[in-house]
Amino acid sequence: MSVNKVVRRVTTHTLQEMKNKGEKIAMLTAYDYSMALIVDQSGIDVILVGDSASNVMAGHETTLPITLDQMIYHAASVVRACNRSLVVVDMPFGSYQGNSKEALNSAIRIMKETGGHAVKLEGGEEIVESVKRILTAGIPVMGHLGLTPQSIYKFGTYQVRAKEEVEAERLIHDAKLLAESGCFAIVLEKIPAALAKRVAQEVHVPIIGIGAGGDVDGQVLVLHDMLGITEGFTPRFLRKYLNMGEQMRGALEQYVSDVRSADFPNNKEQY
Ligand code: KIV
C-alpha cells in the first residue's frame, strides 16, 4: 500500500502563526525551476523571486533594469517547482511607482501569469495607497524597508540605513503604517539590530531581516550569495554555507581536461 505524503502549503497565515508562537521563518531567493526545486524541498518557508535576479541572473550592477516581463518569466519558473513554500514575487522598479492603478495592474499580471502567492514592494508611506489598492484585489503584499535597492541612486551607497534617530523613527513609523495597511510581513534590510528588534516587538506582522540581526521573526538571504556562487560580495551579515563557485569551477575544469584527453566519454558512456 502506498501512502501519499500530503505537503501543506505555507500561507501568509502560517507565517503569522509562526510569529505568534515565536517560531523563526526561513526565507531564500530563487529565480529558476531547478534551483527552486531544491530550495522548496529543503523545508524553506518562503521563496522570494527577488529583483536581485537583475544582479544575480542578468549581471546588472543594480536591480533597476529588470522588467516586469522578466520578473514574470523567473517567477513562473519558480512556481512550477514549488509544492510547499509560499512564493513571493518582487514588483520591479517602474512597475508600481507611477500610481496605485499601475501598481494594481502590475500585481494582477504577476499573480495571473506566474501563479505566485504574493508580491513585495519597496518603500514606506509613499506606497501605502498602492498597497491598499493591491490588497483590494485579494493579493497579499509584503513590505520592504531599510536599504531598499531600487532607491540606490537616492541613497548613494549600500551602507547600513537608519543609524541616525530621524531615519530610525521614520522607519518605525513606516513599518507600523505598512502593517496597519494590511501587509502580511515586512523585510528589513541592512539596519541596526537594535532597531530591527524594536520593529519586531512593536509591529504585529512577521519581520524578516537581512543584515538586521537575530531578534526578528525570520531571515532571508540571496541564494547565490549563501551558496558561495556570487563572487566579491562579502558583507558582514552574509554567512556562506557552501563554496559552490569553487566546487563548480573544479568540476568544470575536470570536464574540460577529460574531453581534451579523450577520457570522456569512456566505453560505458556510449551506445
Ligand atoms: O531582491 C531581493 O533579493 C531582495 C532580498 C534581498 C530581500 O529583495
Side-chain angles (χ1 to χ4, degrees):
M1 193 177 78
S2 74
V3 181
N4 285 335
K5 206 173 153 205
V6 179
V7 180
R8 275 191 69 189
R9 171 79 69 183
V10 175
T11 68
T12 58
H13 301 280
T14 318
L15 302 183
Q16 186 63 57
E17 279 168 19
M18 288 175 79
K19 170 163 180 141
N20 298 346
K21 287 191 218 155
E23 290 171 15
K24 299 279 189 187
I25 297 162
M27 170 164 152
L28 280 173
T29 65
Y31 317 102
D32 68 275
Y33 175 83
S34 302
M35 285 289 209
L37 205 59
I38 299 168
V39 177
D40 187 63
Q41 288 165 356
S42 72
I44 212 83
D45 302 303
V46 185
I47 293 187
L48 172 67
V49 185
D51 61 355
S52 50
S54 180
N55 314 97
V56 178
M57 293 282 106
H60 292 296
E61 211 172 294
T62 73
T63 58
L64 276 70
I66 198 159
T67 65
L68 185 56
D69 284 339
Q70 288 166 340
M71 285 302 298
I72 286 172
Y73 172 80
H74 286 296
S77 310
V78 167
V79 168
R80 281 192 284 273
C82 293
N83 284 314
R84 179 182 182 275
S85 324
L86 179 84
V87 179
V88 180
V89 184
D90 256 342
M91 294 188 62
F93 177 68
S95 71
Y96 62 96
Q97 288 90 348
N99 55 57
S100 62
K101 187 162 185 279
E102 177 190 53
L104 175 61
N105 288 341
S106 303
I108 287 175
R109 273 202 65 197
I110 289 173
M111 299 301 281
K112 252 187 170 358
E113 296 176 40
T114 72
H117 311 125
V119 296
K120 176 164 83 59
L121 282 73
E122 295 183 4
E125 195 163 355
E126 70 281 8
I127 61 153
V128 160
E129 191 189 322
S130 295
V131 168
K132 287 183 176 164
R133 195 147 179 192
I134 294 169
L135 284 165
T136 61
I139 302 171
V141 179
M142 178 180 269
H144 184 158
L145 294 168
L147 177 64
T148 46
Q150 291 179 11
S151 303
I152 188 59
Y153 291 117
K154 184 176 86 180
F155 298 145
T157 74
Y158 284 100
Q159 275 164 14
V160 181
R161 303 302 312 173
K163 279 164 97 174
E164 307 302 330
E165 172 124 17
V166 176
E167 197 183 337
E169 289 304 325
R170 168 88 206 197
L171 188 140
I172 292 170
H173 164 82
D174 281 343
K176 287 181 177 168
L177 208 54
L178 290 175
E180 282 159 17
S181 303
C183 282
F184 71 87
I186 301 169
V187 167
L188 293 183
E189 182 165 352
K190 223 171 173 186
I191 63 166
L195 174 60
K197 178 180 179 179
R198 205 179 135 196
V199 176
Q201 283 170 343
E202 294 184 19
V203 173
H204 71 279
V205 301
I207 301 298
I208 317 285
I210 172 164
D215 291 319
V216 287
D217 306 304
Q219 300 292 326
V220 56
L221 285 175
V222 168
L223 182 67
H224 292 62
D225 295 341
M226 61 90 77
L227 291 179
I229 299 174
T230 37
E231 278 184 351
F233 182 65
T234 52
R236 189 195 300 186
F237 70 77
L238 176 62
R239 187 181 292 179
K240 290 198 181 187
Y241 286 83
L242 208 59
N243 227 326
M244 200 164 161
E246 222 169 278
Q247 289 181 13
M248 282 177 75
R249 240 185 308 278
L252 300 178
E253 281 167 13
Q254 185 63 52
Y255 169 73
V256 171
S257 156
D258 289 352
V259 170
R260 298 244 161 89
S261 66
D263 177 84
F264 175 80
N266 64 26
N267 289 342
K268 288 186 192 153
E269 292 163 330
Q270 56 188 287
Y271 302 98

